[in-house]
Amino acid sequence: MPRTYSFIARALHWMTAIFIVALIALGVWMTERAAANLWDALTNTLYGWHKLIGFLVLLLTAIRIIVKLRSSRPPYPASVAPAALKLAAVVHGALYLLLLVVPLLGWAAVTAFPALITLGGFHLPAMPGIPQDQALAKQLFEIHGNLALVLAVLALAHIAAGLHHLLIKKDGVFQRIWLKS
């Protein structure tokens, strides 16, 4: 049994982590500018990057799920309590669900708005079955933003748990996903 996840699984994990941090920063920055009615090239660029990276997270998550289903998972150290294993499974499941649902809601919202342009004139495809409807877009953006906050909180808890295993418990859990094996 391997002691670490496959290199592809580890690389996808860390790419997703970097993108989520970027999406949260962009999301806060762009919505603060929009709330202040600062609609200029910078605001448009922030939204463009947010949409492009969000779509990449959706694609990466789909690839991650395929890799996860086709790969073996390294065992946890025997010192990890069964309750901690159950909590980790719940958090990981919620993270995967939100990594799919949050970008899907964002994509649906920009389809309904419509605001499919990202950067350099690149347009996201419209989500099938979503009509152009400003009221629907507003609802979808609100749900997208609220679930993004839930994702951020879960990600912070996930990071805290990883650092706890790395710095305090020193039990090898963190090394299972770290890029360097």
Side-chain angles (χ1 to χ4, degrees):
M1 201 64 157
R3 290 185 11 225
T4 63
Y5 285 93
S6 70
F7 177 78
I8 291 173
R10 289 180 284 145
L12 289 168
H13 172 272
W14 291 104
M15 281 191 291
T16 303
I18 290 166
F19 285 157
I20 292 299
V21 170
L23 284 168
I24 291 167
L26 286 167
V28 168
W29 192 8
M30 71 189 198
T31 55
E32 283 180 358
R33 291 182 63 82
N37 207 23
L38 295 173
W39 293 103
D40 58 10
L42 174 58
T43 304
N44 289 334
T45 300
L46 295 172
Y47 273 93
W49 275 109
H50 186 82
K51 289 181 276 189
L52 183 62
I53 295 170
F55 202 76
L56 288 173
V57 165
L58 180 60
L59 294 175
L60 280 176
T61 301
I63 294 167
R64 285 183 72 181
I65 290 169
I66 292 166
V67 168
K68 187 175 183 70
L69 292 172
R70 298 181 64 139
S71 302
S72 61
R73 187 171 32 152
Y76 281 97
S79 62
V80 179
L85 295 175
K86 288 178 184 173
L87 179 59
V90 168
V91 170
H92 285 122
L95 284 169
Y96 271 100
L97 179 64
L98 289 168
L99 286 170
L100 288 172
V101 171
V102 171
L104 284 170
L105 285 167
W107 183 21
V110 298
T111 298
F113 193 74
L116 293 165
I117 193 163
T118 60
L119 299 170
F122 175 75
H123 286 72
L124 294 173
M127 182 181 269
I130 302 296
Q132 289 186 9
D133 179 332
Q134 295 288 310
L136 174 62
K138 184 178 178 182
Q139 289 175 328
L140 291 170
F141 280 129
E142 187 173 333
I143 297 167
H144 168 78
N146 289 333
L147 288 180
L149 291 174
V150 173
L151 174 60
V153 168
L154 277 178
L156 285 173
H158 180 66
I159 291 165
L163 291 174
H164 178 75
H165 283 283
L166 176 67
L167 301 172
I168 296 170
K169 290 196 147 207
K170 299 179 183 181
D171 58 7
V173 169
F174 182 86
Q175 286 73 13
R176 296 164 69 237
I177 197 67
W178 186 236
L179 282 171
K180 191 174 178 181
S181 55

